[in-house]
Amino acid sequence: MSAFNVHLNYGATFFNYAEEDTAGVIDNAPTLLHSLESGIRFTGNNWLDAELHAQIDAAPVIYGAPTDEPLAVVQINRAGGTVGLNYDISDVGSLRIAYLGDRTDFMEGDGYVTAPNYWTHGPEASFGRNITSATRASAVYAFRVQDFDEVAASQAAPNGDLNSHLVYARLTHQASQLSGVEGRLGYQIQAPAEDPDLEENGLYALLNLRLSPSPFFTLGLAGTQALSSDVTGAA
């Protein structure tokens, strides 16, 4: 049976930085970053799924930010899609193989040289099993390539294009027909494509609350996720 679903996710991340200057004065820099994502998902006969999505977000424009420069953020526009194939294994679970592609463009920042735009793409494989009728657990492996546009040296990513390996566990629970929750926890290894020895490791986490007023529309409140470092240089 084929089905369409439209989703809309809003996210907010709050930072409060305190820095003491040479005179002993503490300067607080509270920052609230907003994000908005929308998309449409198609599922066909339980074996094929596809999704298109677009996102407006705020991101650091200086490597090492937001720790070094908490206010140096700029709007980014992201759009992309995913295509997946699903295979049910009787009485065991289901296997899914998918390919994801995203395009990220940075808007101009006031007084800052924006980071280079880039593509993110790569395959992923997952195995899932229903724990109860409302709860499902999955194990996921994903490989991501972060391919930056060619720009001037002053704007270039310090280590060039990046490759990432990501392994995580995902738990979803459909509390009712109207609401659900998803949690992810895993680990990422990221390294420059031209120098794999300069790898960085980091924790990956995501919490997403969903409200579905109808089978065709989903509202979400998404928590912060650390999947690759984008251009900040820290996982």
Side-chain angles (χ1 to χ4, degrees), residues 11-13 33-37 54-60 73-78 104-107 224-225 230:
T13 304
L33 305 181
H34 306 273
S35 66
L36 183 65
E37 179 189 12
Q55 181 179 1
I56 298 175
D57 205 348
V73 296
V74 68
Q75 177 182 314
I76 63 172
N77 299 324
R78 178 176 290 130
T104 300
D105 292 297
F106 287 77
M107 305 297 287
T224 300
Q225 64 175 350
D230 282 344

Side-chain angles (χ1 to χ4, degrees), residues 19-71:
E19 183 177 0
E20 184 175 350
D21 61 18
T22 55
V25 177
I26 297 178
D27 182 23
N28 289 306
T31 304
L32 182 63
L33 305 181
H34 306 273
S35 66
L36 183 65
E37 179 189 12
S38 63
I40 183 170
R41 182 180 180 85
F42 168 76
T43 303
N45 298 322
N46 296 324
W47 65 270
L48 172 68
D49 63 78
E51 179 178 318
L52 296 175
H53 60 264
Q55 181 179 1
I56 298 175
D57 205 348
V61 294
I62 295 179
Y63 301 109
T67 303
D68 297 338
E69 293 284 347
L71 300 182

Side-chain angles (χ1 to χ4, degrees), residues 130-153:
N130 292 333
I131 301 175
T132 68
S133 59
T135 305
R136 183 176 180 83
S138 303
V140 183
Y141 165 76
F143 176 74
R144 294 287 182 265
V145 175
Q146 200 165 346
D147 185 10
F148 294 97
D149 291 354
E150 293 186 7
V151 294

Side-chain angles (χ1 to χ4, degrees), residues 144-167:
R144 294 287 182 265
V145 175
Q146 200 165 346
D147 185 10
F148 294 97
D149 291 354
E150 293 186 7
V151 294
S154 60
Q155 293 180 271
N159 297 317
D161 297 339
L162 301 174
N163 293 335
S164 298
H165 300 271
L166 176 66
V167 179

Side-chain angles (χ1 to χ4, degrees), residues 109-132:
D110 294 335
Y112 297 105
V113 177
T114 57
N117 303 325
Y118 60 90
W119 293 91
T120 304
H121 59 93
E124 68 179 37
S126 64
F127 177 80
R129 181 180 176 87
N130 292 333
I131 301 175
T132 68

Side-chain angles (χ1 to χ4, degrees), residues 88-95 127-130 136:
D88 288 330
I89 305 174
S90 300
D91 301 324
V92 177
S94 62
L95 179 68
F127 177 80
R129 181 180 176 87
N130 292 333
R136 183 176 180 83

Side-chain angles (χ1 to χ4, degrees), residues 25 30 45 70 73 92 99 101-102 112 116 131-132 147 155 161-162 176 179-180 189-190 200 202 216-219 231:
V25 177
N45 298 322
V73 296
V92 177
Y99 199 91
D102 274 332
Y112 297 105
I131 301 175
T132 68
D147 185 10
Q155 293 180 271
D161 297 339
L162 301 174
S176 68
S179 63
I189 300 175
Q190 176 178 284
E200 294 181 350
F216 309 104
F217 186 71
T218 301
L219 294 172
V231 294

Side-chain angles (χ1 to χ4, degrees), residues 181-192:
V181 62
E182 175 186 357
R184 302 180 187 181
L185 185 63
Y187 200 72
Q188 175 191 279
I189 300 175
Q190 176 178 284

